[in-house]
Amino acid sequence: QVQLVESGGGLVQPGGSLRLSCAASGFPFSSYTMGWFRQAPGKEREFVAVISWTNSNTFYTDSAKGRFTISRDNAKNTVYLQMNRLAPMDTSVYYCAASVRRAGDRGIYLPFTSQEYNYWGQGTQVTVSS
């Protein structure tokens, strides 16, 4: 049974930091590119960051560049999102997602649309407020 379980969300003041974790099970984690998305109330789900299955390449949405860092630990089947200098605009439910490795891909393919992902977690709430 495939599972993606996010944790680490919560309430934080503007300028603060949070580290989200996503524990995966039920599929070969090291063969999947992993991404983070978020969805604010009344808005569509949006891409935040992605890390290749090779752990060698990453890509971020513009608002996350310089503030967020995505990483993965294949030994622990876990992907992380370190978020620094958080702002109220970052308030959302954050989801991790898994995208199966494409044939022939050497870690260059970095999907950033929801449709390219096969598995999703249930999400963790992040609220940035004073």
Side-chain angles (χ1 to χ4, degrees):
Q1 180 182 358
V2 171
Q3 280 194 312
L4 292 171
V5 180
E6 301 96 336
S7 61
L11 174 64
V12 63
Q13 292 187 342
S17 298
L18 281 176
R19 188 195 195 201
L20 305 183
S21 299
C22 172
S25 61
F27 65 96
F29 180 78
S30 61
S31 295
Y32 279 68
T33 292
M34 298 299 297
W36 285 95
F37 289 73
R38 66 186 182 186
Q39 186 168 20
K43 295 187 176 182
E44 293 187 354
R45 189 171 299 186
E46 64 174 359
F47 166 79
V48 177
V50 59
I51 186 166
S52 63
W53 67 274
T54 55
N55 201 11
S56 58
N57 292 304
T58 59
F59 179 67
Y60 299 88
T61 190
D62 285 347
S63 63
K65 290 177 183 176
R67 298 190 302 131
F68 295 2
T69 302
I70 187 171
S71 62
R72 65 190 295 163
D73 184 339
N74 286 348
K76 295 182 178 180
N77 285 2
T78 301
V79 61
Y80 305 97
L81 186 67
Q82 177 67 44
M83 303 187 295
N84 299 326
R85 291 187 281 133
L86 284 162
M89 69 174 186
D90 297 313
T91 295
S92 289
V93 177
Y94 283 72
Y95 300 88
C96 71
S99 177
V100 67
R101 176 172 63 94
R102 269 52 178 176
D105 175 44
R106 297 185 179 183
I108 304 299
Y109 179 66
L110 297 171
F112 56 89
T113 65
S114 298
Q115 295 83 351
E116 297 173 282
Y117 286 80
N118 306 98
Y119 306 128
W120 292 85
Q122 292 300 307
T124 185
Q125 176 71 47
V126 171
T127 302
V128 185
S129 175
S130 55

